[in-house]
Amino acid sequence: MSHPTPHPTDGHPLDTRRWGRIPAWWLDHPGLDADGFAVLAALATFADDGGLCWPSQSTLAAKLKRSRPTINRIIQGLSDLGLVSVEHRRGRDGARLSCLYRLRFT
């Protein structure tokens, strides 16, 4: 039996194929606030088993309904806490690419 895909209020179908792995210890981290946890959770939905992902900050901002500068500030805070490492990338032509993020699962 097939169930219909739920639709949010904007009319776009929800992506039910992607999900993220979130370590329980993230919830107990003393420096992690709700905004940081939300960004980590969003990154986790893009990450592979090793914790690598490269969504753009614009994508994260749209998913979390925040501004790009806010996402950038939160990611910097997560990096300062050691919960995510950030590698800035450039294409062969020198154009900026989305950052490579490595989530700390352990």
Side-chain angles (χ1 to χ4, degrees), residues 39 56-58 60-62 64 66-76 101:
V39 171
S56 71
Q57 289 178 359
S58 295
L60 293 170
L64 295 171
R66 298 287 188 264
S67 69
R68 215 177 133 269
T70 296
I71 295 298
N72 190 33
R73 178 184 49 78
I74 293 168
I75 289 172
Q76 182 59 55
Y101 302 103

Side-chain angles (χ1 to χ4, degrees), residues 2-93:
S2 175
H3 296 285
T5 302
H7 293 273
T9 57
D10 66 1
H12 291 91
L14 295 174
D15 184 354
T16 58
R17 296 164 296 172
R18 196 173 70 239
W19 58 278
R21 182 175 74 163
I22 299 171
W25 68 266
W26 283 356
L27 288 169
D28 297 322
H29 193 286
L32 187 60
D33 62 10
D35 285 339
F37 186 81
V39 171
L40 278 175
L43 287 168
T45 68
F46 292 97
D48 64 15
D49 290 341
L52 291 177
C53 59
W54 50 91
S56 71
Q57 289 178 359
S58 295
T59 295
L60 293 170
K63 296 279 186 195
L64 295 171
K65 297 167 185 62
R66 298 287 188 264
S67 69
R68 215 177 133 269
T70 296
I71 295 298
N72 190 33
R73 178 184 49 78
I74 293 168
I75 289 172
Q76 182 59 55
L78 295 171
S79 177
D80 292 346
L81 291 172
L83 297 172
V84 63
S85 63
V86 181
E87 179 183 321
H88 298 277
R89 304 180 309 147
R90 294 213 175 257
R92 292 180 187 188
D93 62 356

